[in-house]
């Protein structure tokens, strides 16, 4: 999906998101092109990437394979071979993988993201807090066997947000709905 997205956006008359903002192909950066429809499509397609990988692996090879597929889809998105090991920050793919692994985990991550975003209006902070909470949520909802894999994905997602963390600390991070988002 990733290698064709910039071409698809260009066909829609939108600029390549890799030339603006965070210079990646993620939904928040696609939103900077000015197209909410393109950003929504990006979220859905990136989420589907994680969800479909998990569901197919589970159907053909079981639960352990589903967890490996979740991690592989997530890392493949963040470190795309097709884009010189550059990609998005992995939030939507992480969410899709969580929904595939256990619906309650995906729903909890979305709810946490939404609550934090409504309160703070920071998409990045919302993603960081939701990701950080997921290993704990996995244990307390009976999915402790997934906590190691979820922790690995959450830690990498947070690391991918290191520039956002620096901007949050400096007070320069753009808020959802502002011209810098």
């Amino acid at each position: 999906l990733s290698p064709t997205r910039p071409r698809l956006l260009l066909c829609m008359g939108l600029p390549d998101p890799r030339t603006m903002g965070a210079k990646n192909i993620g939904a928040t950066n696609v939103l900077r092109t000015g197209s909410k429809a393109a950003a929504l499509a990006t979220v859905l397609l990136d989420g589907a990437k994680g969800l479909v990988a998990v569901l197919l692996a589970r159907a053909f090879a079981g639960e352990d394979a589903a967890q490996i597929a979740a991690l592989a889809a997530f890392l493949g998105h963040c470190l795309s071979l097709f884009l010189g090991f550059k990609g998005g920050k992995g939030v939507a793919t992480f969410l899709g993988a969580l929904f595939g692994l256990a619906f309650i985990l995906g729903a909890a991550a979305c709810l946490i993201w939404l609550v934090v975003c409504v309160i703070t209006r920071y998409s990045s902070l919302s993603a960081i807090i939701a990701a950080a909470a997921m290993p704990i949520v996995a244990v307390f909802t009976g999915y402790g066997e997934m906590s190691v894999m979820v922790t690995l994905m959450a830690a990498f997602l947070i690391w991918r947000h290191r520039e956002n963390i620096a901007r949050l600390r400096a007070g320069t991070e753009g808020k959802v709905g502002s011209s810098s988002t």
Side-chain angles (χ1 to χ4, degrees):
L1 300 175
S2 300
T4 60
R5 185 177 310 141
R7 284 183 288 227
L8 177 62
L9 292 173
L10 291 172
C11 290
M12 295 172 68
L14 299 172
D16 185 340
R18 296 173 297 173
T19 64
M20 58 185 59
K23 301 199 182 317
N24 68 43
I25 59 168
T28 301
N29 219 40
V30 171
L31 186 59
R32 288 183 178 101
T33 67
S35 174
K36 291 179 183 175
L40 178 61
T42 300
V43 167
L44 294 175
L45 290 170
D46 287 349
K49 193 183 318 182
L51 176 66
V52 170
V54 169
L55 296 179
L56 286 173
R58 178 180 289 133
F60 289 105
E63 253 348 276
D64 290 342
Q67 288 189 47
I68 293 168
L71 184 59
F74 172 75
L75 291 175
H77 172 79
C78 294
L79 304 169
S80 174
L81 175 68
F82 302 106
L83 297 173
F85 297 101
K86 294 178 184 174
K89 293 184 180 164
V91 177
T93 306
F94 179 66
L95 291 174
L98 289 176
F99 271 111
L101 291 168
F103 182 85
I104 189 76
L105 295 180
C110 286
L111 180 62
I112 292 167
W113 185 95
L114 184 61
V115 167
V116 174
C117 195
V118 165
I119 293 169
T120 69
R121 291 186 41 221
Y122 289 115
S123 177
S124 59
L125 182 62
S126 302
I128 291 164
I129 291 174
M134 285 305 96
I136 299 162
V137 172
V139 170
F140 283 103
T141 57
Y143 293 99
E145 73 280 0
M146 296 180 189
S147 63
V148 171
M149 186 273 312
V150 170
T151 300
L152 290 173
M153 290 187 350
F156 194 73
L157 186 149
I158 293 166
W159 180 77
R160 295 284 289 176
H161 280 82
R162 62 195 179 282
E163 292 174 3
N164 301 85
I165 293 167
R167 285 191 299 272
L168 285 163
R169 285 181 160 176
T172 58
E173 179 76 340
K175 292 189 174 190
V176 172
S178 72
S179 60
S180 62
T181 300

